[in-house]
């Protein structure tokens, strides 16, 4: 479905199916050992899921975990809804939204007394190919519970990006818990220590335009 849909919209630069099995499906599944200790009914949010990576392969092999796939592009969410329907996945939902909007705490109270349905709601946030760590932490950290994890699928530049993100992680009350080498890249593991300050995430596009704690000269 991914290869087929990719002929009418831009989901991946990889057009060869064999290569896609390795670089997309197998790569997504390298997160399984990191998520192996999650309990049944745990919730995971995939930010900037695009063509469903890593969220869809993970949801297939972890049927007892609840997955929320988020993307800012409506067409991609329509595609993901078709995939969820075609495979018959019952543990996945796809939401068309910007991560900033889901993470913002406007102090609203829902009838059951809870603030914002997504902020500090998830056990784990995952993301691949969405942006540098300093920017991506602001999009993901607000969404996970205290003690929750952010798992970023990264490549060779992981250490460099981490160094640049040092101040951002501090501002977001989050630790770098470790980096795991996998056959296809690196998984950067962050652990949220305390509640995210209400100022984060900032408004739409701001985390990318001006990543937290990154000096203008150092920014690309
Ligand atoms: N995770 C997929 C897609 C990476 S492309 C993969 O690894 O193949 C990055 C995706 O993130 C795009 O689909 C884009 O629409 C989405 N995106 C970028 N910024 C976003 C934001 N602030 N909120 C939600 N989605 C975002």
């Amino acid at each position: 479905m991914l290869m087929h849909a990719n002929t009418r919209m831009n989901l991946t630069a990889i057009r060869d199916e064999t290569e896609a099995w390795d670089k997309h499906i197998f790569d997504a599944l390298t997160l399984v050992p990191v998520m192996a200790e999650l309990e049944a009914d745990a919730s995971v949010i995939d930010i900037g899921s695009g063509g469903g990576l890593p969220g869809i392969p993970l949801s297939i092999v972890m049927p007892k975990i609840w997955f929320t796939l988020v993307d800012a592009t409506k067409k991609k969410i329509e595609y993901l809804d078709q995939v969820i329907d075609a495979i018959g996945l019952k543990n996945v939902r796809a939401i068309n939204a910007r991560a900033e909007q889901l993470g913002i705490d406007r102090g609203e109270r829902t009838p059951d007394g809870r603030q914002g349905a997504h902020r500090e709601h998830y056990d784990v946030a995952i993301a691949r190919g969405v942006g540098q760590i300093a920017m991506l932490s602001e999009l993901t950290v607000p969404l996970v519970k205290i003690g929750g994890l952010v798992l970023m699928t990264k490549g060779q530049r992981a250490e460099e990006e981490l160094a640049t993100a040092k101040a951002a992680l501090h501002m977001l009350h989050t630790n770098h818990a470790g980096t795991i080498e996998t056959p296809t890249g690196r998984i950067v593991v962050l652990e949220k220590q305390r509640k995210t300050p209400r100022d984060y995430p900032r408004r739409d596009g701001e985390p990318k335009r001006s990543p937290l704690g990154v000096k203008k000269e150092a920014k690309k």
Side-chain angles (χ1 to χ4, degrees):
M1 286 185 84
L2 180 64
M3 292 291 101
H4 185 70
N6 204 37
T7 59
R8 52 189 171 78
M9 68 181 116
N10 184 22
L11 294 171
T12 164
I14 296 172
R15 314 221 161 239
D16 176 65
E17 199 175 310
T18 311
E19 199 184 343
W21 276 104
D22 269 4
K23 296 208 172 136
H24 290 326
I25 310 297
F26 180 72
D27 179 61
L29 296 177
T30 60
L31 286 163
V32 171
V34 192
M35 291 168 56
E37 280 173 34
L38 283 179
E39 288 176 19
D41 277 333
S43 56
V44 175
I45 188 162
D46 182 7
I47 292 299
S49 192
L53 297 158
I56 291 282
L58 289 171
S59 67
I60 295 171
V61 301
M62 305 182 95
K64 294 195 172 148
I65 307 289
W66 297 101
F67 286 85
T68 300
L69 315 183
V70 176
D71 205 280
T73 307
K74 190 163 174 242
K75 263 172 63 178
K76 295 185 179 175
I77 294 300
E78 284 165 3
Y79 161 73
L80 289 174
D81 277 332
Q82 285 169 17
V83 172
I84 292 165
D85 193 49
I87 307 177
L89 293 167
K90 303 284 183 248
N91 58 329
V92 191
R93 61 177 172 175
I95 302 180
N96 177 211
R98 289 194 63 98
E100 294 92 325
Q101 289 301 317
L102 297 186
I104 282 170
D105 180 357
R106 296 187 191 78
E108 288 161 357
R109 304 277 166 177
T110 49
D112 64 5
R114 285 221 335 267
Q115 287 184 339
H118 297 277
R119 187 178 173 92
E120 294 182 334
H121 173 79
Y122 296 90
D123 295 292
V124 176
I126 56 181
R128 189 188 83 155
V130 183
Q132 59 166 300
I133 297 172
M135 167 267 193
L136 195 49
S137 349
E138 188 175 353
L139 297 186
T140 51
V141 169
L143 297 165
V144 302
K145 298 172 184 171
I146 295 164
L149 301 179
V150 176
L151 309 176
M152 298 174 177
T153 309
K154 289 280 167 191
Q156 298 304 317
R157 296 169 59 91
E159 290 310 306
E160 198 181 310
E161 284 190 30
L162 264 170
T164 309
K166 208 171 168 207
L169 296 183
H170 183 73
M171 288 184 237
L172 294 163
H173 301 162
T174 296
N175 281 355
H176 172 223
T179 300
I180 300 160
E181 295 235 18
T182 72
T184 49
R186 287 183 191 163
I187 298 166
V188 172
V189 183
L190 308 180
E191 186 178 354
K192 174 159 168 173
Q193 303 296 310
R194 286 180 283 132
K195 230 166 142 42
T196 306
R198 291 179 65 115
D199 300 345
Y200 311 123
R202 290 163 296 163
R203 63 176 200 278
D204 286 4
E206 204 57 25
K208 184 174 180 187
R209 203 156 33 235
S210 171
L212 284 179
V214 180
K215 290 201 186 71
K216 287 267 191 287
E217 312 79 85
K219 199 175 69 180
K220 272 203 302 165

